[in-house]
Amino acid sequence: MAADIIEVKNLTKVFGNVVAVDNVTFSIAEKDFLILLGPSGCGKTTILRMIAGLEIPTQGEIYLKDRLVFSSSKGVFVPARQREVGLVFQSYALWPHMTVFENIAFGLKVKREGSEVIRKKVDDILAYMQLEGMKDRYPQEMSGGQQQRVALARMLVSHPDILLMDEPLSNLDAKLRLEMRAEIKNIHSQIGATTVYVTHDQVEGQTMASNIAVINKGIIEQLAPPKTIYNRPANLFVADFIGSPAINLMEGRTSSEGDDGRVCFKTGEFTLVTAYRNIQPGREVVAAIRPESISIVKEESANTIPGEVRTILPSGPETVLRVRHANLVFSLLLTQEVNLSPGQKIHLYLPAENILVFDKQTGNLLPL
Amino acid sequence: MKRTHPSFSRFKNYIRRPHIVISLILLAILLFIVLVPFARMIRDSFIWQFADTRLSRNALPGEFTLFHWKRVFSSALTQNILVRPLFNSLTTSLSVSACAMFIGSMLAWLVARTDIPFRKTIATVAVLPYVIPSYIHALAWINLFKNDRIGGAAGVFQYLTGIVPPDWLSYGYLPIVVTLSIHYFPFTFLLVSAALTSIDSRLEESGEILGASRTHILRRITFPLVLPALLSSFILTFSRVLGTFGTPYFLGTPVRYFTLSTQIYSNITNRIPSVGYILAFVLIAISSAVIYINQKMIGKSKSYVTIGGKGFRVTDTPLGRMQYPLLALIVLLFLASVVLPLVLIVWQTLALYPGDYSLRHLTLLFWIGEANTAFAEGEAGVLRNPAILGAAWNSIKLALSASALAGFLGIFIGYAVVKGRNTKLASMVEQMSFLPYLVPGIAFGALYLALFSHSFGPIPALYGTFFLVALVCVAKNLPFTGRAVITSMLQIGSELEEASETLGARWSMRFRKIILPLSIQGAISGFVLVFITVMRELSLIILLVTPQTRTLTTMTFRYQEQGYTQFSSAISVMIIVIVIFGELFSKKLGKKGSI
Ligand SMILES: Nc1ncnc2c1ncn2[C@@H]1O[C@H](COP(=O)(O)OP(=O)(O)OP(=O)(O)O)[C@@H](O)[C@H]1O
Ligand SMILES: [Mg+2]
């Protein structure tokens, strides 16, 4: 078996009558960087806390480094302090009555390291985190970004093999968030600890992860590398949740009008050729296409839809365009200069190979 | 690995968590100091006591009987034992709550929302009447308005004017209501001030922008917003007055004006404890009902109170020509509620003969005089009287040990409740620790008397020990320390402890390094509150003290009962001094302790 550092099997957590985590199974290989991504309240924090040993699962098993740390059926529960897992809280949870030095040294004191060793290690990590000269401050006397780095330092100083981070950047402003994102990625590649990172910011997910688990209502909807999640979302929830502006969705039926066996997608208004070949005609489906895959063309041709420009939202190098066709509104993401004005009639080109088709009933992506 | 049955290991894992262990221990303690006394009292009310052989020939000590219940609820004595005291209790409590609410809320409004001068000073001074023990207002009243018809010497009023005050002015309903209102209005003042300052004043401002008149704003916006604070101050005052013993005893008993609390006391001291217990139930039932109603009403109306906090200050309502008359009224209130009682009490201690207030006959005899058979049956002045100094020492010992223990237990209660939030176990701990709050002081003393006057299982009869008096003070005050720590722990959140847990710290280390330092602030404020409360405590311990364990408050009570008003006044002065020192010391401590 590959070296799976974290293994979670059929994990369930029920609070009263709320099922916060519902039969979740996944594993993380050594040095992997897994991101748990999902809307607020979907159970991300709960999963993390169960791995750390701060929450007792209702059902399931957890292995850390091949050691069984929780099993409901075998009645095993290893408490947090014996799991050797580093955790950064969303709130940082720095101790307000201790200085930065005391905060960071705490874990080392727990391990009864000598005071010289502690001093050296804390100084090293402070230097690494660019926090020299702050060791006698109290957390309340520092900026959000500095507090965040102290929280990271406190966790890293005892070199855990497993790092858990719960939305560590959510309290920072946009610029600082960008910097810290790079820093965390850098730390991960340097120390190579297996990391689980929770966020509901999908950009964070896209840029940092080796794998993403998209979670919804306590269930893992899809666990895959970021590219796959983006390009081949397993179902409509993932397709809709990932990407900004959101993916364009159209409801309709399949038909077999396409050439060389390709399946067509029909609504009452238009017909689009897709790259699919294995869907029987007449099936109710939802077709989807990412905003940046749609382009504007002058002439009407195959896979074009006529439309009227509604709004133009320039943002830096990109422009988001909203175009209406009948009762559908398409979002477009254009990187080139746009010379259009609202009300103008244009044609949208939806390339066949970029169209995804989902089953309407189950919401799952259909095979090509 | 040794295999055990999974459900057993699951149970073991459940038990092994520290806050579960603490909750279970706390439950055991609370069961012992709260629920068991209650059960014992119920039981005793159904059983013939030895002393009952005086009352009934059929009495079989130890056997079941409905005698006491019948005596209270349907006998020729019902009118005297239950109905009239109940009526008196309810009328005094209602009147006091209404007066205190009126004075307190008007004062709060003047300070928070108008341009009355010296607002800061008024706000500080307004709390003083509450710091003075409530029965001291009663003693001062007696010193002032006592007449010589009931027995003993006349008061200052008669001495100065020669007019004999009528009984209704000296004793009974009116003086009880006046003195207790004066004592309790700061309570409303504090609650309503807090509400007024925390209301988002933009709500009021938006009314003003819309062109509403000031009275309209006051009536339609401000008033509904402070209504919850008003209601709870009314109800809390009501339930406190209901359980007050000292004032109705001093001002009511001489004219046979009984309330439930004094009726409980006299039944228990007349060795009909079971009847006293039943009356205590009545008291507990009323005050539980009242507090229950309060919580229901607050729960509903709280939802629309916007506590925004950071709004701009509303422009103060100008009082115009009323400014100085109102200020004069406030000064008068302050004189009547603080200065006059203190002056009267001190003056009393200096009078050589009771009732003779002339300057010629002022003396320090009752403070520092040597034992002299010509005065006070040969008792030495309070400052060199070993019995009184012993009682002072007892008081301080009691207040310190009760507040330390209550603070200590409070930390554990706070921890167990916050850490186990939303679990049944934690809410059980919380509710049980809150129970003593529902039981009026005199009734709580009666509970303990019922339980600990006999030996009970492995526990010897604790009646007469210092430990018992301390225990009752701890139990009665747990709600305060528990609350204080719960509030401060809720603000801290549980993640701070969890962070240390993931770094490998054992519970003992987490407790020492994280939990204790972070919750000590809340515990200290609870500690101070309890210290001051116990220092002034009379209702709670009056049934439990014996000559060995008496405190300053109970000594005051005895001397007053025997007519040695100089001594009782002098001891009251000592209590006030100690309380004020405690308060000042705690302010210092609070400053140092803050991080
Ligand atoms: N201690 C608790 N008691 C009861 N319900 C809880 C508790 N903790 C979490 N829940 C519920 O479980 C669900 C999942 O919560 P969780 O904190 O894991 O969400 P999350 O994905 O981390 O959300 P967010 O992005 O807002 O942090 C929510 O519905 C929440 O209300
Ligand atoms: Mg969360």
Side-chain angles (χ1 to χ4, degrees), chain B residues 5-80:
Chain B
H5 195 267
S7 64
F8 174 70
S9 347
R10 228 174 298 161
F11 176 72
K12 227 174 54 191
N13 291 331
Y14 177 76
I15 285 294
R16 225 173 34 188
R17 283 179 295 165
H19 72 275
I20 304 280
V21 178
I22 291 171
S23 297
L24 292 174
I25 296 174
L26 282 174
L27 273 185
I29 294 177
L30 289 169
L31 197 72
F32 174 68
I33 63 177
V34 179
L35 277 194
V36 172
F38 204 77
R40 184 61 182 239
M41 194 162 105
I42 295 180
R43 191 182 142 248
D44 277 8
S45 72
F46 286 109
I47 296 216
W48 284 113
Q49 308 291 318
F50 266 109
D52 293 338
T53 43
R54 289 176 304 141
L55 303 174
S56 165
R57 253 182 290 136
N58 303 331
L60 287 170
E63 298 290 313
F64 174 85
T65 179
L66 285 176
F67 173 78
H68 308 110
W69 287 86
K70 284 202 188 120
R71 188 178 167 93
V72 172
F73 287 101
S74 73
S75 77
L77 295 170
T78 301
Q79 187 69 17
N80 279 337

Side-chain angles (χ1 to χ4, degrees), chain A residues 15 18 20 38-47 55 90 166-167 200, chain B residues 422:
Chain A
F15 291 111
V18 180
S40 191
C42 68
K44 307 177 296 279
T45 299
T46 309
I47 294 178
E55 204 84 67
Q90 186 167 357
D166 191 356
E167 309 201 27
H200 61 243
Chain B
N422 300 330

Side-chain angles (χ1 to χ4, degrees), chain B residues 12-321:
Chain B
K12 227 174 54 191
N13 291 331
Y14 177 76
I15 285 294
R16 225 173 34 188
R17 283 179 295 165
H19 72 275
I20 304 280
V21 178
I22 291 171
S23 297
L24 292 174
I25 296 174
L26 282 174
L27 273 185
I29 294 177
L30 289 169
L31 197 72
F32 174 68
I33 63 177
V34 179
L35 277 194
V36 172
F38 204 77
R40 184 61 182 239
M41 194 162 105
I42 295 180
R43 191 182 142 248
D44 277 8
S45 72
F46 286 109
I47 296 216
W48 284 113
Q49 308 291 318
F50 266 109
D52 293 338
T53 43
R54 289 176 304 141
L55 303 174
S56 165
R57 253 182 290 136
N58 303 331
L60 287 170
E63 298 290 313
F64 174 85
T65 179
L66 285 176
F67 173 78
H68 308 110
W69 287 86
K70 284 202 188 120
R71 188 178 167 93
V72 172
F73 287 101
S74 73
S75 77
L77 295 170
T78 301
Q79 187 69 17
N80 279 337
I81 294 182
L82 178 69
V83 178
R84 240 180 291 144
L86 180 62
F87 176 80
N88 291 342
S89 279
L90 291 179
T91 45
T92 48
S93 304
L94 280 175
S95 316
V96 170
S97 315
C99 293
M101 190 176 81
F102 178 77
I103 303 174
S105 55
M106 285 315 287
L107 202 59
W109 179 73
L110 285 172
V111 168
R113 287 288 191 273
T114 70
D115 62 348
I116 194 133
F118 307 116
R119 283 196 289 213
K120 277 232 176 75
T121 321
I122 296 175
T124 319
V125 167
V127 193
L128 285 181
Y130 194 60
V131 177
I132 302 173
S134 68
Y135 56 84
I136 281 181
H137 284 114
L139 294 187
W141 183 279
I142 293 180
N143 292 345
L144 185 59
F145 287 119
K146 198 164 180 290
N147 59 25
D148 50 9
R149 244 179 286 155
I150 303 293
V156 176
F157 181 79
Q158 187 175 346
Y159 175 79
L160 292 178
T161 62
I163 303 168
V164 181
D167 275 357
W168 58 263
L169 183 62
S170 305
Y171 297 103
Y173 172 80
L174 179 86
I176 292 177
V177 171
V178 173
T179 52
L180 285 178
S181 303
I182 280 177
H183 177 72
Y184 279 110
F185 81 81
F187 200 59
T188 311
F189 173 78
L190 287 178
L191 281 174
V192 175
S193 301
L196 277 176
T197 41
S198 65
I199 284 174
D200 193 338
S201 52
R202 272 166 295 184
L203 290 176
E204 289 171 294
E205 275 163 358
S206 58
E208 210 161 328
I209 291 165
L210 293 173
S213 73
R214 284 199 184 265
T215 46
H216 191 78
I217 290 173
L218 197 62
R219 206 156 38 90
R220 302 303 295 273
I221 300 176
T222 316
F223 181 71
L225 288 174
V226 294
L227 194 62
L230 277 177
L231 274 181
S232 43
S233 70
F234 183 91
I235 279 164
L236 291 177
T237 310
F238 180 85
S239 75
R240 281 181 189 215
V241 175
L242 208 57
T244 299
F245 166 73
T247 304
Y249 187 83
F250 292 136
L251 291 173
T253 331
V255 290
R256 306 201 57 72
Y257 182 90
F258 286 109
T259 62
L260 276 180
S261 56
T262 56
Q263 192 60 243
I264 291 170
Y265 176 80
S266 70
N267 271 292
I268 288 176
T269 48
N270 290 330
R271 299 205 294 147
I272 325 173
S274 303
V275 168
Y277 299 160
I278 295 170
L279 294 175
F281 284 138
V282 176
L283 212 53
I284 293 172
I286 297 173
S287 82
S288 315
V290 158
I291 288 171
Y292 177 78
I293 293 169
N294 178 40
Q295 252 146 17
K296 275 271 132 110
M297 287 204 286
I298 291 201
K300 264 194 207 123
S301 48
K302 217 180 205 163
S303 51
Y304 65 78
V305 175
T306 321
I307 307 276
K310 282 205 193 111
F312 299 96
R313 224 196 128 78
V314 204
T315 35
D316 301 325
T317 306
L319 293 171
R321 273 183 304 150

Side-chain angles (χ1 to χ4, degrees), chain A residues 198-216:
Chain A
V198 162
T199 179
H200 61 243
D201 177 346
Q202 45 150 320
V203 181
E204 226 157 74
Q206 294 290 331
T207 52
M208 298 170 76
S210 42
N211 274 307
I212 296 182
V214 179
I215 303 177
N216 180 31

Side-chain angles (χ1 to χ4, degrees), chain A residues 49 54 56 72-77 79-81 85 87 89 91 93-98 106-107 110 154 158, chain B residues 3 6 9-10 13 16-17 495-506 509-510 513-514 517-518 595:
Chain A
R49 289 173 56 86
L54 297 174
I56 299 183
S72 56
S73 58
K74 297 188 187 124
V76 176
F77 175 74
R81 66 182 177 85
V85 164
L87 175 61
F89 291 83
S91 62
L94 296 175
W95 300 303
H97 60 300
M98 296 187 192
F106 187 90
V110 169
R154 183 176 70 181
S158 25
Chain B
R3 288 199 72 95
S9 347
R10 228 174 298 161
N13 291 331
R16 225 173 34 188
R17 283 179 295 165
E495 291 192 343
L496 291 181
E497 188 204 345
E498 289 170 353
S500 67
E501 201 177 345
T502 59
L503 290 173
R506 297 175 162 278
M509 182 163 185
R510 305 204 293 269
K513 295 278 165 119
I514 313 286
L518 289 174
I595 315 160

Side-chain angles (χ1 to χ4, degrees), chain A residues 26-247:
Chain A
F26 64 90
S27 55
I28 307 167
E30 197 169 356
K31 298 186 191 226
D32 224 354
F33 194 114
L34 175 74
I35 280 196
L36 304 182
L37 185 64
S40 191
C42 68
K44 307 177 296 279
T45 299
T46 309
I47 294 178
L48 218 58
R49 289 173 56 86
M50 288 192 289
I51 296 175
L54 297 174
E55 204 84 67
I56 299 183
T58 314
Q59 207 94 69
E61 288 189 349
I62 301 174
Y63 291 86
L64 298 180
K65 294 190 272 183
D66 287 332
R67 165 180 174 222
L68 181 65
V69 295
F70 176 79
S71 164
S72 56
S73 58
K74 297 188 187 124
V76 176
F77 175 74
V78 177
R81 66 182 177 85
Q82 293 164 0
R83 292 197 186 181
E84 292 173 2
V85 164
L87 175 61
V88 178
F89 291 83
Q90 186 167 357
S91 62
Y92 309 154
L94 296 175
W95 300 303
H97 60 300
M98 296 187 192
T99 60
V100 167
F101 180 88
E102 290 166 328
N103 263 283
I104 298 175
F106 187 90
L108 300 172
K109 281 193 187 136
V110 169
K111 290 187 180 157
R112 297 178 193 284
E113 306 230 17
S115 59
E116 266 319 301
V117 180
I118 292 179
R119 189 173 308 282
K120 168 119 189 21
K121 284 190 175 174
V122 174
D123 282 343
D124 286 352
I125 196 100
L126 283 173
Y128 179 75
M129 285 289 174
Q130 301 164 17
L131 289 167
E132 300 107 323
M134 298 217 169
K135 66 177 174 186
D136 293 324
R137 292 221 198 158
Y138 285 93
Q140 310 81 285
E141 302 165 351
M142 310 179 84
S143 74
Q146 290 164 340
Q147 289 185 18
Q148 211 275 337
R149 274 181 290 185
V150 175
L152 274 175
R154 183 176 70 181
M155 173 188 69
L156 293 174
V157 75
S158 25
H159 291 292
D161 295 325
I162 298 174
L163 305 184
L164 307 176
M165 303 190 212
D166 191 356
E167 309 201 27
L169 307 185
S170 63
N171 293 337
L172 304 181
D173 62 41
K175 182 161 172 284
L176 208 54
R177 202 180 299 183
L178 217 64
E179 279 172 24
M180 286 307 299
R181 222 180 261 160
E183 187 137 0
I184 288 178
K185 207 168 173 183
N186 185 18
I187 291 171
H188 176 251
S189 66
Q190 278 192 23
I191 65 173
T194 309
T195 306
V196 183
Y197 184 107
V198 162
T199 179
H200 61 243
D201 177 346
Q202 45 150 320
V203 181
E204 226 157 74
Q206 294 290 331
T207 52
M208 298 170 76
S210 42
N211 274 307
I212 296 182
V214 179
I215 303 177
N216 180 31
K217 294 183 186 151
I219 295 170
I220 296 191
E221 300 276 3
Q222 186 174 16
L223 197 163
K227 273 219 167 64
T228 314
I229 296 261
Y230 191 77
N231 293 328
R232 300 212 53 82
N235 54 40
L236 280 172
F237 175 82
V238 178
D240 194 36
F241 185 73
I242 302 286
S244 168
I247 199 164

Side-chain angles (χ1 to χ4, degrees), chain B residues 505-573:
Chain B
R506 297 175 162 278
W507 190 79
S508 56
M509 182 163 185
R510 305 204 293 269
F511 187 77
R512 265 185 306 119
K513 295 278 165 119
I514 313 286
I515 301 163
L516 198 62
L518 289 174
S519 60
I520 200 79
Q521 205 57 33
I524 284 180
S525 67
F527 171 88
V528 169
L529 191 69
V530 174
F531 179 86
I532 290 171
T533 315
V534 172
M535 207 59 223
R536 319 178 313 193
E537 191 61 70
L538 178 63
S539 320
L540 182 65
I541 57 179
I542 185 68
L543 292 171
L544 297 174
V545 293
T546 54
Q548 285 74 44
T549 56
R550 61 190 164 192
T551 64
L552 284 181
T553 48
T554 57
M555 289 286 269
T556 324
F557 178 76
R558 297 281 171 238
Y559 279 119
Q560 184 73 20
E561 227 181 0
Q562 294 160 14
Y564 297 132
T565 47
Q566 295 97 328
F567 278 123
S568 60
S569 301
I571 299 172
S572 303
V573 173

